[in-house]
Amino acid sequence: MRRGAITQGSVLKAIAEYDVLGRDEFLARYGFREARSYVVVHEGREYDSKAIVGVAHQWDQGRALRPDEFSGGKEHAVAWLKRAGFQVKAVKNPDWARDEIILACQLVMESDWKGLDAQDARVVELSGLLQLLPIHAEAERNEKFRNPNGVARKTFDIATRHPEYQGKPTNGGALDVAVLREFLARPDEMTEVARLIRQGIAAGELQSLAPTEDEEFDDYSAPEGRLLMRRHHARERNKGLRKKKIASVTQRGGRLACEACGFDFEEVYGDRGAGYIECHHVVPLHEAGEGRTKLSDLALICANCHRMIHRRAPWPTPAELRTSIERKHASDRRAAEAIGRPRRAADEQMPKP
């Protein structure tokens, strides 16, 4: 049986059976529960997406899929329905991302760490801004996505987690607390991060930054949020800057070796590695701003060191990473020498326990 090999016609047959039986009987007959994350929309009506997909398989594959044979999320049901040409809609809105919480936290800080009402003009303005952020796909949003009521609730989630708040905190997440702590520890830096996000959205510069396939940083590790990280990576992938940086090194007779670990692609891979190395923008955007990038802002590093630098905040510079590598090597050498050192005569005469 080929999971996901369903056609538009088979989905329509499942929808027709759903309409005849009604929701409760349809779900009970095939052993499915109500959709918790996504629904499929057809002719203005919403249907439990996972159940529809499972039943559609009986028309194309000979039997319906059981609920435990696939997921109702993006990997299975949602992807298969979209491939068949159907609109899929989120039941609930996605969790708040770091960028969004940064903007909300800045607003709470400016309000002396107090939550704001949904009617507050600043909440209404932030609601409109959050709806422009290209973090969550349209299919993941419902009609209440980041509306003023939701934004106001988030300001209270943040305010009631402040160390000086005496009452019972509202429902918030670990990321709310993490961002709040960063604002308390580094208010000027985090205010600049919020300003850059706002500026980038207002100017339209961040709205076109779609997620990349190799986006591995998460909300807890990215020092600036996803959007500024995408802008940072876009700078690093600027082919013109990379070529100029490489040329500036080779024209001075330098090697294209990693500034952190010394790896040389040509030495290891021969002609295939000649002229290749990755480019890293050393200064984070919240420190460098949106000005012009100078060649001195760039470092040539290998892929492994590049990943290690971006793995979590705070980012080490290539020089700091090189120092860390050298310490590790020195520690390894000392350990190897201790193991290989001849035992002293006194040690030989020690009685065995």
Side-chain angles (χ1 to χ4, degrees):
M1 186 177 191
R2 293 175 56 207
R3 292 189 309 162
I6 55 176
T7 61
Q8 188 176 83
S10 65
V11 173
L12 291 174
K13 288 180 181 180
I15 288 175
E17 184 177 0
Y18 186 111
D19 288 336
V20 171
L21 297 177
R23 183 186 199 186
D24 292 341
E25 186 175 344
F26 182 85
L27 295 178
R29 173 174 290 188
Y30 293 99
F32 286 90
R33 298 178 180 177
E34 295 180 2
R36 292 180 296 176
S37 301
Y38 298 94
V39 291
V40 57
V41 181
H42 178 64
E43 295 183 349
R45 295 189 62 187
E46 297 177 356
Y47 299 85
D48 299 88
S49 56
K50 185 174 182 179
I52 292 296
V53 165
V55 175
H57 276 74
Q58 73 178 347
W59 302 104
D60 288 317
Q61 300 292 325
R63 70 167 177 85
L65 279 182
R66 297 187 305 273
D68 62 353
E69 291 183 293
F70 69 110
S71 78
K74 298 178 184 178
E75 297 82 4
H76 294 153
V78 172
W80 300 340
L81 284 166
K82 287 183 177 180
R83 193 167 61 207
F86 289 90
Q87 177 189 353
V88 182
K89 177 180 171 183
V91 173
K92 64 177 183 178
N93 283 312
D95 292 338
W96 284 62
R98 178 180 168 86
D99 306 65
E100 299 171 299
I101 297 174
I102 286 173
L103 297 180
C105 199
Q106 181 205 22
L107 189 57
V108 176
M109 183 179 71
E110 291 176 351
S111 303
D112 198 23
W113 298 109
K114 294 180 174 63
L116 293 87
D117 295 329
Q119 294 75 31
D120 191 298
R122 293 167 294 177
V123 169
V124 175
E125 184 271 340
L126 180 56
S127 170
L129 186 67
L130 292 175
Q131 291 171 17
L132 294 175
L133 292 180
I135 298 174
H136 308 291
E138 290 296 328
E140 297 177 345
R141 312 179 182 198
N142 63 30
E143 62 278 0
K144 295 182 180 180
F145 177 79
R146 304 302 183 254
N147 66 7
N149 285 331
V151 174
R153 282 196 298 273
K154 180 55 67 176
T155 67
F156 278 93
D157 290 341
I158 295 168
T160 59
R161 297 300 182 106
H162 191 279
E164 296 180 2
Y165 182 75
Q166 299 298 317
K168 182 179 179 181
T170 59
N171 293 329
L175 192 52
D176 296 337
V177 177
V179 173
L180 169 61
R181 287 174 177 169
E182 291 185 61
F183 266 90
L184 293 174
R186 306 190 305 279
D188 292 341
E189 178 182 314
M190 296 306 294
T191 297
E192 177 63 10
V193 170
R195 187 191 71 78
L196 286 171
I197 295 174
R198 281 180 167 274
Q199 175 184 300
I201 292 300
E205 296 169 347
L206 298 182
Q207 294 182 38
S208 60
L209 294 177
T212 56
E213 291 183 2
D214 63 344
E215 185 176 284
E216 292 187 356
F217 53 87
D218 58 42
D219 285 332
Y220 293 91
S221 67
E224 304 173 307
R226 291 184 180 275
L227 294 180
L228 295 186
M229 279 289 284
R230 289 176 193 162
R231 168 59 64 80
H232 191 103
H233 283 299
R235 280 185 171 188
E236 292 178 348
R237 290 174 180 141
N238 184 319
K239 293 182 179 179
L241 280 175
R242 177 177 169 273
K243 287 180 179 178
K244 289 179 180 178
K245 179 66 177 180
I246 289 175
S248 72
V249 173
T250 56
Q251 286 170 5
R252 297 195 306 268
R255 292 170 55 234
L256 294 185
C258 176
E259 295 181 26
C261 72
F263 186 87
D264 186 318
F265 284 88
E266 185 172 8
E267 280 187 0
V268 176
Y269 299 106
D271 291 343
R272 180 174 288 274
Y276 180 80
I277 196 157
E278 296 192 3
C279 198
H280 169 62
H281 196 286
V282 178
V283 186
L285 281 177
H286 66 262
E287 297 177 14
E290 288 287 353
R292 294 175 61 85
T293 299
K294 303 185 293 292
L295 293 184
S296 58
D297 295 332
L298 302 172
L300 298 180
I301 56 178
C302 70
N304 282 347
C305 289
H306 204 175
R307 290 282 178 148
M308 290 299 101
I309 286 174
H310 280 301
R311 190 177 184 197
R312 60 175 175 266
W315 294 344
T317 64
E320 290 169 339
L321 186 62
R322 181 173 65 249
T323 299
S324 175
I325 293 170
E326 289 171 350
R327 283 203 203 101
K328 176 68 167 60
H329 288 172
S331 176
D332 290 345
R333 284 195 299 270
R334 287 194 296 271
E337 289 169 0
I339 294 173
R341 189 180 301 127
R343 299 180 68 183
R344 295 178 302 172
D347 293 335
E348 296 289 347
Q349 296 173 8
M350 288 287 289
K352 295 182 180 180

